[in-house]
Structures are given as structure tokens and as C-alpha cells.
């Protein structure tokens, strides 16, 4: 696209664009440029739902490389995401404390099924000392945690490298033939 008029009014978010068709060497030069510095353009196009542009970028570029660019742009979607889990009983607290190492990181998954908190998640709130002190109170543990708002445990989770590789491989496979929307 080429800019015909900017700004069009008092709103600096508006511009008039004209579709620009590149032919021959200019098209290949533009594709090479986008391959090395198109991260922002690809991500902005995905955010703006400009699927024709996204499709063109994926067709012209290396889908695995573009997947890495999307991962970098949307890092906080997968890594360092916070989630909460409620403690319902003293047994829940005992199971949680048994899974935690000295850095308040889960050494193994806590809970199962849809409530699972994966290994590697770090407890942000309440602090590890508060959880262990409450556990030592026995039957009064849940009441003690409720007093400090600690019956709701907050974790920071990280995506493991295997899961990251799976979604990047999926995007690369899709990008080989077509691309309808980003796999976010």
C-alpha cells in the first residue's frame, strides 16, 4: 500500500491508502526486506485482521521464521502468564506444599484434569512461608489463609520448549499451503 493522504482529519489514526502492486525484482526485494524486518508488519497485520497481507507475508517468507517472530511479539500470551487456583481444604494445601520446592516453584504438576497447574509454575501469592505456616496449623490452615486472602493462590506459568515447538511446527505446516488466521 502507498499513502495517498495522511492525516485525513483531526484523527491521526486515519489515512487514505492505495493498493500498490509490486512486480518482478521490486517484489522480491520487498519480500527479502520483509523477511528480515517484517516482524512488526506481520504482527500488526495479524492484530488488524489484514488476512490478505498476512497471507502474502507467509507465502513470501519462511513460515518457521515468521512463527518465531509471532512468538516474540506475543510472548506474554504464552510465557509469564498469571493464573489463580483456589484452595478448598487442608488436603489441597498439603498437596500444593508437597509439590513446591524452596523457591516456590512446582517441581511436579499440582492437581489433575482441567484444574492442573503445570510443573515449573511459580507461586506469586501467598508467599511460600505463609503457605507452610498455614499448613503447620493443621485444621485451622484454611481459616488462617482466608484471613490474609491466601485461599486463592496466584501462579506465574511458563510455556515449555516442547509446547512452543509444537505450535511453531503447526504454523509452519499451515503456512506451506495457506494461512487463514494466526494460530494464537
Amino acid at each position: 500500500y502507498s499513502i495517498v493522504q495522511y492525516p485525513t482529519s483531526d484523527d491521526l489514526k486515519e489515512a487514505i491508502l492505495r493498493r500498490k502492486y509490486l512486480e518482478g525484482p521490486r517484489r522480491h526485494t520487498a519480500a527479502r526486506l520483509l523477511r528480515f524486518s517484517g516482524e512488526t508488519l506481520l504482527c500488526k497485520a495479524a492484530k488488524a485482521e489484514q488476512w490478505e497481507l498476512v497471507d502474502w507475508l507467509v507465502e513470501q517468507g519462511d513460515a518457521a521464521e515468521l512463527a518465531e517472530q509471532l512468538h516474540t511479539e506475543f510472548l506474554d500470551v504464552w510465557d509469564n502468564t498469571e493464573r489463580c487456583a483456589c484452595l478448598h481444604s487442608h488436603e489441597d494445601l498439603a498437596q500444593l506444599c508437597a509439590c513446591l520446592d524452596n523457591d516456590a516453584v512446582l517441581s511436579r504438576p499440582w492437581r489433575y484434569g482441567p484444574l492442573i497447574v503445570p510443573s515449573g509454575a511459580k507461586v506469586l501469592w501467598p508467599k511460600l512461608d505463609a503457605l507452610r505456616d498455614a499448613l503447620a496449623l493443621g485444621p485451622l490452615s484454611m481459616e488462617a489463609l482466608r484471613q490474609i486472602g491466601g485461599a486463592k493462590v496466584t501462579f506465574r506459568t511458563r510455556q515449555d520448549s516442547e509446547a512452543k515447538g509444537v505450535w511453531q511446527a503447526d504454523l509452519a505446516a499451515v503456512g506451506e499451503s495457506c494461512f487463514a488466521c494466526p494460530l494464537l
Side-chain angles (χ1 to χ4, degrees):
Y1 291 92
S2 63
I3 299 172
V4 176
Q5 181 181 352
Y6 174 81
T8 60
S9 63
D10 291 337
D11 186 2
L12 298 178
K13 296 178 186 173
E14 292 181 9
I16 297 175
L17 304 175
R18 178 179 299 136
R19 190 178 293 239
K20 192 175 197 177
Y21 297 97
L22 298 176
E23 299 293 330
R26 290 185 71 198
R27 183 177 181 129
H28 293 293
T29 302
R32 188 171 40 82
L33 175 68
L34 290 173
R35 198 172 295 126
F36 296 108
S37 62
E39 179 261 331
T40 302
L41 183 60
L42 173 67
C43 295
K44 287 189 180 293
K47 290 176 188 176
E49 299 181 12
Q50 297 291 321
W51 307 124
E52 288 180 17
L53 179 57
V54 169
D55 187 34
W56 184 81
L57 290 170
V58 171
E59 286 174 5
Q60 297 300 313
D62 177 16
E65 182 181 319
L66 294 174
E68 183 63 35
Q69 291 175 359
L70 285 172
H71 174 74
T72 301
E73 177 73 17
F74 297 104
L75 183 64
D76 61 346
V77 173
W78 297 284
D79 290 337
N80 297 319
T81 332
E82 291 185 12
R83 64 176 284 199
C84 296
C86 292
L87 293 169
H88 299 288
S89 65
H90 178 74
E91 290 76 29
D92 272 353
L93 177 60
Q95 289 171 359
L96 173 61
C97 287
C99 294
L100 292 172
D101 64 15
N102 290 331
D103 295 323
V105 176
L106 289 174
S107 57
R108 62 179 189 266
W110 176 55
R111 295 186 171 164
Y112 299 97
L115 300 177
I116 192 168
V117 181
S119 61
K122 180 173 180 57
V123 174
L124 300 177
W125 178 258
K127 297 296 182 192
L128 180 60
D129 294 338
L131 290 171
R132 289 184 175 160
D133 289 346
L135 182 63
L137 293 174
L140 298 174
S141 61
M142 292 310 297
E143 187 57 36
L145 284 174
R146 284 188 192 97
Q147 292 292 322
I148 64 164
K152 184 176 177 183
V153 182
T154 305
F155 296 91
R156 175 173 290 139
T157 59
R158 295 188 52 83
Q159 180 187 31
D160 64 4
S161 59
E162 181 182 338
K164 176 183 169 186
V166 167
W167 85 260
Q168 286 180 335
D170 289 345
L171 181 60
V174 169
E176 294 300 323
S177 59
C178 69
F179 196 82
C181 62
L183 301 175
L184 300 176

